[in-house]
Amino acid sequence: MLTPFGTDIWIAKGPILSTAGFKYPTRCAIIRLSDGNLMVWSPVTLTPDLKDAVDALGPVKAIVAPNSFHHLFFQDWALAYPTAKCFAAPRLEKKREDITFDATLTDAPDVIWTGELAQVILRGNLLTDEVVFFHKASGTVLFTDILQQFDKGWFTGWRAIIARLDLMEGTEPQVPRKFRVAFYGRTAARASLKTILGWPAQQVLMAHGRPVTQDATGFLKRAFAWLNA
């Protein structure tokens, strides 16, 4: 149910979701902080088995929606862990007024994870302001949707053509074309990217794509070379 992904970080697979017939696998991360409390990143369906596995690691202190798309299962976690602090990415609070969020994510870490995770908003995109995290203990950079990868054959028919044109398929994760086009504020995006490339990354995790566990910094430079061109 929970798969270790390094020091004090675990990943869990969620259900396959469908948007306009495009099927997306989902993934969340559970991070254990130095005080024993847990941070939940991009929550997926909270099944009884997953809840038992999470509870065995420690108490949930923070639940994080890293962008304005990953909110479908947030309320279930908030109800299951009423004492946890709920964090929304920019734009999400207006989108989900039915959820009571305690804070909106910024470039500054919350006191709950100060010193253990760094973060930056990848600004300047019309589609979403994604908050990218860096978990220091495991050397993991966490993206949500800005980086994606689907194996050839995952999509079929006309959707396979769209996925290929959108750069959703490839030998390694890429920034889909729709997100590249949506970066109207490239100066702001480059400033955010500079912060990301300054982290001593050892691996990269994303919600929709194969994790990168080697040459993480080199991979990130390749993945965003178009932005610095």
Side-chain angles (χ1 to χ4, degrees), residues 15-56:
I16 295 176
L17 302 180
S18 180
T19 301
F22 287 88
K23 295 180 179 180
Y24 292 84
T26 55
R27 175 186 289 131
C28 78
I30 309 297
I31 296 169
R32 185 164 57 197
L33 305 170
S34 60
D35 61 3
N37 289 314
L38 306 179
M39 169 186 173
V40 179
W41 172 88
S42 189
V44 296
T45 302
L46 184 59
T47 64
D49 286 345
L50 178 56
K51 188 176 187 304
D52 288 344
V54 170
D55 292 343

Side-chain angles (χ1 to χ4, degrees), residues 115-194:
E116 301 188 57
L117 287 100
Q119 65 198 70
V120 66
I121 301 172
L122 192 49
R123 291 181 168 84
N125 197 286
L126 288 170
L127 297 177
T128 190
D129 290 318
E130 182 161 303
V131 184
V132 183
F133 287 88
F134 175 61
H135 179 231
K136 298 179 182 179
S138 65
T140 305
V141 180
L142 295 101
F143 283 86
T144 317
D145 289 324
I146 294 295
L147 288 172
Q148 297 183 23
Q149 180 192 30
F150 296 88
D151 293 333
K152 187 174 181 180
W154 176 266
F155 299 110
T156 59
W158 64 268
R159 292 182 180 87
I161 298 173
I162 296 298
R164 186 165 57 254
L165 292 174
D166 196 34
L167 304 179
M168 295 164 69
E169 292 183 352
T171 56
E172 63 181 8
Q174 304 178 78
V175 179
R177 197 182 302 277
K178 58 180 170 288
F179 283 107
R180 298 187 189 199
V181 173
F183 271 109
Y184 68 93
R186 294 206 170 190
T187 299
R190 289 186 186 112
S192 301
L193 179 61
K194 183 177 180 180

